[in-house]
Amino acid sequence: MKAKQFSVSSTMKEKQVKTETTNSENESSDIDTSDDDIEVADNSSKVDDALDSYEEYVDSYIKFLKKAQKGDNSAMAEYPALMQKTTDMQMKIDDMKNDFSTKQMSRMMKIQTKMTTAALDMQ
């Protein structure tokens, strides 16, 4: 009797590992896992959070500008904290600029346009 030969091979896509699992009914389902997908989702969430903070900052800056334009002296008391927040927001956004999706970049541009429009309307 002659032994038959067999070989085992596997293929792996770059940035993706495909595994097969079986449930109690012996039906199989594919589960895709990827560290890069998780990292991208994590970065995307961080960028979205940063954009939320940036939009809140812009809204508070617009309120500040309106107060200052009306001659409200309390606006001057807010100025140092607002300038610190400006620096913090700029650094945060700059650190993430390579992680922005097209949609997130578009959102950032809309927020910046909102600020610019408000400043121009006050002139």
Side-chain angles (χ1 to χ4, degrees):
M1 181 176 216
K2 189 175 180 183
K4 294 186 177 188
Q5 288 185 327
F6 70 95
S7 64
V8 177
S9 65
S10 67
T11 59
M12 185 183 307
K13 293 180 184 176
E14 187 176 320
K15 297 185 179 182
Q16 184 177 12
V17 177
K18 192 172 186 175
T19 61
E20 188 175 309
T21 61
T22 345
N23 64 21
S24 61
E25 298 172 355
N26 291 327
E27 295 175 7
S28 66
S29 62
D30 291 334
I31 300 173
D32 292 336
T33 59
S34 170
D35 289 340
D36 290 337
D37 289 343
I38 293 168
E39 184 178 327
V40 167
D42 218 19
N43 286 345
S44 181
S45 178
K46 288 178 183 178
V47 170
D48 287 335
D49 290 345
L51 288 172
D52 290 343
S53 294
Y54 184 52
E55 189 163 20
E56 289 172 14
Y57 158 76
V58 167
D59 290 341
S60 65
Y61 190 79
I62 291 169
K63 287 178 187 176
F64 163 78
L65 288 176
K66 288 179 181 180
K67 274 183 172 182
Q69 185 183 30
K70 291 179 183 177
D72 187 338
N73 289 333
S74 68
M76 294 317 292
E78 297 172 23
Y79 186 75
L82 193 57
M83 289 301 99
Q84 181 60 49
K85 193 166 185 174
T86 300
T87 303
D88 294 344
M89 286 304 309
Q90 185 65 45
M91 287 177 23
K92 188 175 188 178
I93 296 294
D94 282 348
D95 287 345
M96 296 182 168
K97 66 183 172 189
N98 294 330
D99 297 330
F100 279 52
S101 69
T102 304
K103 185 177 178 181
Q104 290 165 329
M105 185 58 75
S106 176
R107 180 177 175 208
M108 188 175 94
M109 298 304 290
K110 286 178 184 178
I111 295 168
Q112 289 176 337
T113 300
K114 179 180 180 180
M115 182 189 236
T116 303
T117 302
L120 289 173
D121 288 346
M122 289 181 218
Q123 291 182 355

